């Protein structure tokens, strides 16, 4: 039996593929490489293509005996989704419809779905429970919620079993430094701060210090990408063992402010990192912290890299080894 991992060349996808192969699972990756990196796939069968392309799914499902899908493939930039909702509904929602349609045709009834804390929007309280209200504040989060709901009806009507994993802030890298986080353009806090530590940025722009938090900057729950990877494996095993569908938060349950993250990066790297406070980024909630008790209980999930220092250390290790990311070509200095 093999697992199809869509978006397996992306950041969380590639770390999950690495983890699955370490558990002796047979993995097939489908990735369009629009944002993913072929170099992030170490030793796995790879198909280049889109989840919206029924013919490549026919080929994969005919050539391999696949019992489950782990579905990461999606566009995931909040700002871009605000500018172009059509793109996000087309790639995330319509692409997933094609994937599920083909899964039903080939009688594949298990899927672990890559959801997001973005489904909550501005939370009514923290830590956030799965039952709290979902009011996405951007099209990206809305597409994730649409798919979660769609999967629920597919369970009712076709018996498709799903575990949707709502990630908080994924960060860190493979502890052995083989793969890591490389987005173009980069928009995530930790890689941006580490690019400043490497001298690839002059400074880090802090988006607002007038939030209602202990130091005025936003607070986030950072979770190590390999801990996310292990949760996907446990979710898959739970579905294989015949358990019902579920929706689970994945975070550490501890919040760190943007200022605290910058300070941790200064400490780990030993570098001067300059910051400048600018205006708030539209759509940023002040505090996002997960209650992940349900995942801990249902999956037996135990995050092992849960301190901010370890997360930053592993990310820094990869950024130092691969200062230009997966690309061998030197990128120009980034303005800020
Ligand atoms: N952030 C920042 N400067 C940056 C990038 C991010 O101040 O250059 C802040 C952002 O406003 C948010 C936090 O860092 O409060 C985490 O942002 P990120 O994009 O990493 O993740 P998000 O929480 O949006 O998923």
């Amino acid at each position: 039996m093999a697992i199809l991992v869509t978006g397996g060349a992306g950041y969380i996808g590639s770390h999950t593929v690495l983890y699955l192969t370490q558990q002796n699972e047979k993995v097939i990756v489908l990735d369009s490489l629009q944002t993913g990196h072929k170099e992030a796939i170490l030793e796995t069968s790879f198909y280049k293509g889109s989840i919206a392309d029924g013919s490549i799914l026919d080929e994969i499902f005919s050539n391999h005996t696949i019992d489950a899908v782990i579905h990461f493939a999606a566009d995931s930039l909040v700002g871009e989704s605000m500018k172009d909702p059509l793109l996000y509904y087309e790639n995330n929602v319509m692409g997933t419809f094609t994937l599920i349609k083909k899964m039903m045709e080939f009688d594949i009834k298990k899927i672990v779905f890559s959801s997001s804390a973005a489904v909550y929007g501005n939370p009514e309280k923290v830590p956030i429970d799965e039952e709290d209200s979902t009011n996405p504040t951007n099209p990206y989060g809305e597409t994730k919620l649409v798919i979660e709901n769609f999967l629920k009806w597919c369970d009712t009507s076709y018996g498709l079993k799903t575990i949707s994993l709502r990630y908080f802030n994924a960060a860190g890298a493979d502890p052995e430094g083989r793969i890591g986080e490389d987005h173009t353009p980069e928009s995530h806090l930790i890689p941006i701060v580490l690019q400043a530590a490497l001298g690839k940025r002059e400074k880090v722009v802090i988006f607002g210090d007038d939030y209602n938090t202990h130091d005025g900057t936003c607070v986030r729950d950072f979770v190590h990408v390999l801990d996310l990877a292990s949760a996907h494996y446990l979710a898959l095993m739970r579905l294989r063992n015949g358990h019902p569908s579920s929706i689970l938060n994945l975070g550490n349950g501890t919040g760190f402010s943007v200022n605290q993250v910058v300070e941790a990066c200064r400490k780990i790297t030993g570098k001067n990192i300059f910051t400048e406070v600018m205006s708030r980024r539209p759509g940023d909630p002040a505090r996002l912290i997960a209650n992940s008790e349900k995942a801990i209980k249902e999956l037996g999930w135990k995050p092992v890299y849960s301190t901010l220092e370890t997360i930053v250390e592993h990310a820094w290790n990869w950024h130092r080894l691969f200062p230009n990311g997966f690309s061998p070509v030197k990128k120009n200095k980034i303005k800020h």
Side-chain angles (χ1 to χ4, degrees):
M1 282 291 177
I3 307 156
L4 172 65
V5 179
T6 73
Y11 172 46
I12 308 172
S14 61
H15 285 80
T16 302
V17 169
L18 184 65
Y19 187 88
L20 291 170
T21 50
Q22 283 167 352
Q23 312 306 311
N24 294 321
E25 292 287 346
K26 188 169 172 349
V27 179
I28 315 294
V29 170
L30 170 64
D31 197 297
S32 67
L33 296 183
Q34 272 177 4
T35 54
H37 305 274
K38 181 77 175 63
E39 301 82 350
I41 300 298
L42 302 178
E43 289 161 29
T44 310
S45 305
F46 176 72
Y47 288 79
K48 182 175 184 292
S50 162
I51 50 165
D53 176 1
S55 62
I56 199 164
L57 292 168
D58 281 337
E59 192 186 334
I60 294 170
F61 291 147
S62 305
N63 288 349
H64 305 274
T65 310
I66 288 171
D67 74 322
V69 174
I70 302 184
H71 177 33
F72 292 99
D75 286 335
S76 60
L77 296 175
V78 167
E80 187 183 55
S81 81
M82 295 290 281
K83 288 195 192 108
D84 197 353
L86 272 174
L87 178 77
Y88 274 67
Y89 276 75
E90 187 168 348
N91 290 351
N92 295 1
V93 178
M94 287 163 72
T96 302
F97 285 173
T98 306
L99 173 69
I100 302 297
K101 205 168 146 199
K102 286 292 163 191
M103 285 175 67
M104 295 306 96
E105 264 177 55
F106 284 84
D107 203 29
I108 299 164
K109 296 283 178 70
K110 293 185 267 301
I111 183 166
V112 178
F113 172 58
S114 173
S115 188
S116 168
V119 299
Y120 295 111
N122 285 304
E124 56 198 21
K125 62 164 182 52
V126 291
I128 306 171
D129 295 315
E130 288 83 353
E131 293 70 30
D132 290 352
S133 57
T134 46
N135 290 305
T137 49
N138 53 67
Y140 164 68
E142 191 71 57
T143 61
K144 292 289 175 184
L145 192 59
V146 166
I147 297 164
E148 279 190 9
N149 288 329
F150 169 60
L151 292 172
K152 184 184 75 185
W153 293 114
C154 291
D155 186 358
T156 308
S157 305
Y158 316 125
L160 173 69
K161 297 298 167 205
T162 305
I163 296 185
S164 293
L165 299 174
R166 293 177 175 168
Y167 322 138
F168 282 64
N169 288 64
D174 167 33
E176 292 179 37
R178 289 164 293 185
I179 55 175
E181 185 169 11
D182 180 9
H183 299 110
T184 308
E186 190 52 76
S187 66
H188 294 111
L189 181 64
I190 292 180
I192 282 178
V193 179
L194 296 179
Q195 284 173 348
L198 280 169
K200 296 180 76 70
R201 284 176 194 266
E202 285 159 17
K203 63 189 177 206
V204 176
V205 172
I206 295 178
F207 298 134
D209 66 353
D210 56 352
Y211 285 93
N212 185 18
T213 60
H214 67 275
D215 64 15
T217 63
C218 287
V219 168
R220 293 291 180 272
D221 181 339
F222 295 90
V223 53
H224 196 290
V225 66
L226 267 194
D227 285 329
L228 291 181
S230 70
H232 287 78
Y233 176 66
L234 293 168
L236 177 81
M237 296 312 276
R238 190 170 164 84
L239 293 179
R240 280 181 175 162
N241 288 332
H243 289 282
S245 297
S246 191
I247 294 178
L248 303 171
N249 285 340
L250 294 178
N252 277 308
T254 312
F256 292 97
S257 70
V258 173
N259 279 342
Q260 284 175 310
V261 170
V262 174
E263 207 38 60
C265 292
R266 287 190 182 115
K267 196 174 132 211
I268 300 287
T269 64
K271 306 275 185 191
N272 274 332
I273 298 169
F274 300 103
T275 58
E276 184 182 346
V277 177
M278 289 176 71
S279 51
R280 292 182 177 196
R281 190 172 68 173
D284 271 341
R287 293 196 299 158
L288 287 175
I289 302 170
N291 176 2
S292 303
E293 284 307 314
K294 196 176 167 202
I296 291 167
K297 200 163 147 248
E298 280 190 15
L299 302 181
W301 183 53
K302 289 191 193 76
V304 289
Y305 306 111
S306 48
T307 67
L308 182 62
E309 283 70 24
T310 309
I311 290 171
V312 170
E313 207 175 291
H314 291 172
W316 176 233
N317 188 30
W318 190 77
H319 276 85
R320 256 188 320 184
L321 289 169
F322 296 89
N324 300 314
F326 287 104
S327 161
V329 182
K330 199 153 181 57
K331 289 173 190 161
N332 291 330
K333 193 162 175 165
I334 306 152
K335 260 282 166 243
H336 60 68

